[in-house]
Amino acid sequence: MTTSLDATHDPTLRSWVDSANAENTDFPVQNLPFGRFTAPSVAAHDTAGTPRMGIAIGDQVLDLQMVQHALLTNGSPAWALTPDTARPDTLPDWLAPLADGDLNAFMRLGAAVRRGLRAWLSAALAEGSPLQAVLQPCLRAQADCTMQLPCQIGDYTDFYTGIHHATSVGKLFRPDNPLLPNYKWVPIGYHGRASSLVVSGTPVRRPLGQLKAPTAETPTLGPCQRLDYELELGALIGTGNALGTRVPLAQAEDHLFGLVLLNDWSARDVQAWEYQPLGPFLAKNFASTVSPWVVTMEALAPFRTAFNRPAIEGGDAGTLPYLDGDDNRLSGAFDLTLEVELQTAAMRAAGLPPQRLSRGRWTEAAWWTLAQLVTHHTVGGCNLQPGDLLGTGTLSGPGPDQAGSLLELSGGGKSPLTLPGGETRTFLQDGDTLTLRAWGEKPGARRIGLGTCSGTVQPAA
Ligand code: CA
């Protein structure tokens, strides 16, 4: 694997942006995630409403369009913070696509440029940086920024790597045969719908669909009655592969840009009626919510860990050679904590804080690594492109309070959850706000987070 620890991961590194030094911030100077946003114009050269890329730092955003402008107008040797890579003559080329809000074009430049810019940003935002005075005016409060999807997502594939989720859901849909025999051998997935991906904060309308109760003779069209969420991570592809080529496992991570949170909203009643024989369709295509900040593979490096498959009934039967390798076994996983919170409209009105529904760890959920997903996706010659999104599938841990969907937490709707204020839930009601979080935390490393991925359910149209 290609990311190793360097000076940008030093846990003692502090930023001249005060809020980045707060103990529990998701965005210390060790993180430096990319997000796309619009914000009110603050300078004559700044066209109001034009999307551009920024870097989250504490509760601020470093506006890379403003950085590019400052560099082109005030460029001096002081910008050469990292002389081996980012120099005043290379930085403008790196920043140009980001200033234009085109993360896909930056992704195309490859991992080496991404690492070079990370080194430069780390030095530029670190305490004592000679650029503090020139970069200070390029900061905006995150509260003033309207976040968008971080890039143009051309294609979206959703996998099913959470083996506890697959087993629990399988038991509900097929009590005699919960885990189908292919599961342990092939990374199961389907091609999703990129057009209905929305950024965190976008309201999610309850979908209509065909519903058929088991006892009914015929289906009806109506609002989904079993609306659910799915706790997932999404990997964004950085550099693609040509049609007809495949990406070997040892090179798979070179094609990954970074991670986002992903809520794959699911209409369980629609799903149960429509899913055979071709799998999910309208149950999944009305909205999927993506978090706005892309945490790069480099930022995640301190949280790398050995890949050990979860213990599961029947054990691990093995892995085909194209999906197996030493690096993948030794360091192919990332130890992130995953959490889900729910706040109902009544809780909001009563001033009650969100209620945690689950907390678990990615390492205890996933049967496949990200690298294996890339390699499998391309083994038949399918071309991945910059900005493509690969969802992990629902990441449920082994425990009952680690499940990443209400379908599991409520035992298929049979065991309602009780919420603060006395309400109960089996599935989501109108007005419910669902929020996903993920973070890495361990001794010897600075804690980093992925921010939040949130959506509120609106009544059916
Ligand atoms: Ca899913």
Side-chain angles (χ1 to χ4, degrees), residues 158 230 232 264 284 393-394:
D158 202 16
E230 291 192 336
E232 304 196 19
D264 181 24
K284 303 278 192 174
T394 309

Side-chain angles (χ1 to χ4, degrees), residues 156 158-160 165 190 230 232 262 264 266 268 284 392-394:
Y156 157 46
D158 202 16
F159 283 94
Y160 200 49
H165 172 77
Y190 68 94
E230 291 192 336
E232 304 196 19
L262 175 67
D264 181 24
S266 299
R268 299 299 182 195
K284 303 278 192 174
T392 57
T394 309

Side-chain angles (χ1 to χ4, degrees), residues 209-424:
Q210 278 203 26
L211 315 170
K212 188 179 116 28
T215 52
E217 282 208 356
T218 55
T220 56
L221 179 72
C224 164
Q225 301 298 313
R226 289 162 69 97
L227 182 61
D228 200 358
Y229 64 90
E230 291 192 336
L231 164 64
E232 304 196 19
L233 291 165
L236 287 168
I237 297 296
T239 49
N241 59 297
L243 181 64
T245 67
R246 59 197 179 98
V247 177
L249 189 66
Q251 291 161 31
E253 279 200 6
D254 291 341
H255 292 264
L256 293 173
F257 186 87
L259 280 189
V260 291
L261 288 156
L262 175 67
N263 181 351
D264 181 24
W265 303 92
S266 299
R268 299 299 182 195
D269 38 9
V270 178
Q271 184 178 357
W273 171 234
E274 77 173 7
Y275 90 107
Q276 289 180 321
L278 286 185
F281 187 34
L282 271 63
K284 303 278 192 174
N285 74 3
F286 55 95
S288 304
T289 304
V290 174
S291 59
W293 296 107
V294 189
V295 173
T296 63
M297 300 309 288
E298 287 72 44
L300 294 165
F303 307 99
R304 265 188 191 290
T305 187
F307 173 55
N308 294 304
R309 283 176 159 169
I312 190 82
E313 196 181 322
D316 180 357
T319 306
L320 290 182
Y322 80 101
L323 290 175
D324 198 8
D326 289 342
D327 284 346
N328 191 62
R329 290 172 181 226
L330 293 172
S331 61
F334 296 88
D335 191 1
L336 298 184
T337 302
L338 310 164
E339 192 177 85
V340 180
E341 284 179 349
L342 173 68
Q343 189 184 42
T344 70
M347 289 166 68
R348 213 161 28 245
L352 294 169
Q355 168 74 14
R356 187 202 302 165
L357 297 184
S358 69
R359 181 183 280 180
R361 289 166 72 183
W362 190 6
T363 49
E364 295 180 347
W367 193 251
W368 303 101
T369 64
L370 295 179
Q372 288 173 318
L373 302 186
V374 169
T375 293
H376 181 67
H377 205 307
T378 61
V379 73
C382 176
N383 50 328
L384 296 174
Q385 305 192 79
D388 282 357
L389 178 67
L390 308 185
T392 57
T394 309
L395 296 173
S396 298
D401 55 351
Q402 297 172 341
S405 71
L406 279 170
L407 182 66
E408 295 158 89
L409 290 171
S410 73
K414 294 193 177 80
S415 312
L417 283 70
T418 302
L419 298 170
E423 289 178 283
T424 61

Side-chain angles (χ1 to χ4, degrees), residues 7 12 23 37 53 67 73 80 90 94 101 113 185 189 253 256 284 295 349 369 392 394 401 413 415 439:
T12 65
E23 196 179 337
F37 68 98
M53 301 305 301
V67 172
T73 51
T90 54
W94 295 0
V113 168
W185 292 98
E253 279 200 6
L256 293 173
K284 303 278 192 174
V295 173
T369 64
T392 57
T394 309
D401 55 351
S415 312
W439 64 89

